[in-house]
Amino acid sequence: MSEPLELDAQASAALIAQLRAEAQALREELDETNQGVLALYGELDGQAEELRQASDLKSRFLSYMSHEFRTPLGSILSITGLLADELDGPLAPEQQKQVSFITNAAQELSDMVDDLLDLAKIEAGRITISPAWFDMFDLFSALRGMFRPIVNASAVDLIFEEPAGLPRLYTDDKKLAQILRNFISNSLKFTLAGEVRVSAKLESPSQIRFAVTDTGIGIPAELHGTLFEDFAQIDSPVQKRLRGTGLGLSLCKRFAELLGGTVGVESSPGVGSTFFVIIPLAIAPEPGHDT
């Protein structure tokens, strides 16, 4: 009667030994896996740090380059301004044309530099918001005056719908003006005839929607998703005649987000486009600041 019990004890001991061996093997495998995971985390942390350093270097390079370009560009624009005013004597028609060409080219470069500098500031977290109360009549009046020389020389009508009955805004009017200025500039570039219309209306009791609608070439639906990405440009015959960084709409999106809002586009080829920004009527104040 004792032999079966002895056999059972031996079988149990063998089974326990096997289970212990398997548990040990499992522990070793888990330890190895954990070491691999830790090594992977370390590698990811290293790559993240490298990316952060690369991003910082890019931002510093863009900022430095932009500042370095601003001085000679400012000098060129000042000199061409003096020549255009004919302070040193009258210019021949061909000379006036050449001075105008130099001025336009320098201004385009200056606009590109401003875009790159804004991008560098945003990525470095150095863009600040300075909200204040202001009236939309003043905003539209300033934009109308800014674009009057361009519109007078083109076949496109720039129309500002009167923002009657709309409340005052508490936000950064300079950032909002820059968004609308980029929208209007784009619409004027891609509208050969017709009109560009700027409007504002309440989107909700706490939000306002600014829109710039044109009768231009329009944009295919498949391109709408990439329009607000950095360096995005539309592949069209009109675009080939124009120079730019492709940063204008991207900066509009980033500025809108800083103001607590969003941007969007509605467009069809051959019909025209509407670019819009929706922002709060009053931006949320920073902690410790009252409106």
Side-chain angles (χ1 to χ4, degrees):
M1 295 294 293
S2 61
E3 289 184 2
L5 290 175
E6 186 178 344
L7 288 175
D8 288 344
Q10 291 177 352
S12 296
L15 179 60
I16 291 171
Q18 181 181 355
L19 290 174
R20 285 177 176 172
E22 291 177 355
Q24 179 64 29
L26 182 59
R27 278 196 297 270
E28 292 175 355
E29 185 177 347
L30 286 173
D31 288 342
E32 185 178 347
T33 301
N34 287 335
Q35 290 175 3
V37 170
L38 290 174
L40 179 59
Y41 274 127
E43 184 178 346
L44 290 174
D45 287 342
Q47 290 178 353
E49 178 61 21
E50 290 177 3
L51 288 173
R52 187 191 65 76
Q53 292 178 358
S55 179
D56 288 344
L57 285 173
K58 182 191 73 172
S59 297
R60 286 201 295 270
F61 170 75
L62 289 176
S63 180
Y64 175 79
M65 180 191 70
S66 302
H67 281 296
E68 289 300 305
F69 277 157
R70 273 187 163 183
T71 300
L73 284 171
S75 299
I76 293 171
L77 288 170
S78 296
I79 293 171
T80 55
L82 292 173
L83 291 172
D85 291 339
E86 299 183 331
L87 296 179
D88 293 326
L91 298 178
E94 182 61 28
Q95 290 175 320
Q96 292 175 343
K97 186 186 299 184
Q98 292 171 355
V99 169
S100 176
F101 174 79
I102 295 171
T103 301
N104 291 337
Q107 188 59 57
E108 287 179 358
L109 282 173
S110 181
D111 292 341
M112 293 181 192
V113 167
D114 288 342
D115 286 347
L116 289 170
L117 187 56
D118 284 338
L119 176 64
K121 286 181 178 179
I122 290 174
E123 293 192 342
R126 296 203 308 270
I127 287 283
T128 58
I129 298 299
S130 302
W133 290 102
F134 67 93
D135 195 299
M136 275 175 283
F137 283 97
D138 296 332
L139 174 66
F140 279 15
S141 178
L143 289 169
R144 185 185 293 111
M146 182 182 302
F147 284 98
R148 183 174 290 115
I150 299 173
V151 175
N152 289 343
S154 72
V156 180
D157 294 324
L158 179 57
I159 301 169
F160 286 84
E161 295 183 0
E162 293 299 318
L166 294 176
R168 298 175 73 205
L169 299 185
Y170 181 78
T171 189
D172 191 322
D173 60 331
K174 292 183 176 58
K175 300 294 186 297
L176 176 58
Q178 190 162 351
I179 294 171
L180 296 178
R181 189 165 65 244
N182 276 330
F183 284 173
I184 295 170
S185 295
N186 268 359
S187 289
L188 289 174
K189 286 178 182 178
F190 294 99
T191 303
L192 304 180
E195 68 175 36
V196 173
R197 184 175 294 269
V198 185
S199 63
K201 68 176 183 179
L202 288 177
E203 180 75 8
S204 73
S206 62
Q207 292 180 311
I208 188 165
R209 181 183 192 266
F210 291 91
V212 177
T213 302
D214 63 57
T215 57
I217 60 174
I219 305 165
E222 61 268 20
L223 298 180
H224 292 184
T226 61
L227 283 176
F228 293 97
E229 295 179 0
D230 291 347
F231 307 107
Q233 293 186 329
I234 301 170
D235 185 15
S236 73
V238 177
Q239 177 69 59
K240 290 179 172 60
R241 295 190 292 103
L242 304 169
R243 290 184 292 271
T245 59
L247 284 174
L249 293 179
S250 170
L251 289 172
C252 288
K253 178 183 178 182
R254 296 184 186 223
F255 285 142
E257 290 171 349
L258 289 172
L259 299 180
T262 58
V263 294
V265 61
E266 300 164 354
S267 184
S268 299
V271 177
S273 304
T274 295
F275 286 88
F276 62 87
V277 56
I278 300 172
I279 61 170
L281 290 172
I283 191 171
E286 295 181 1
H289 291 75
D290 297 327
T291 59

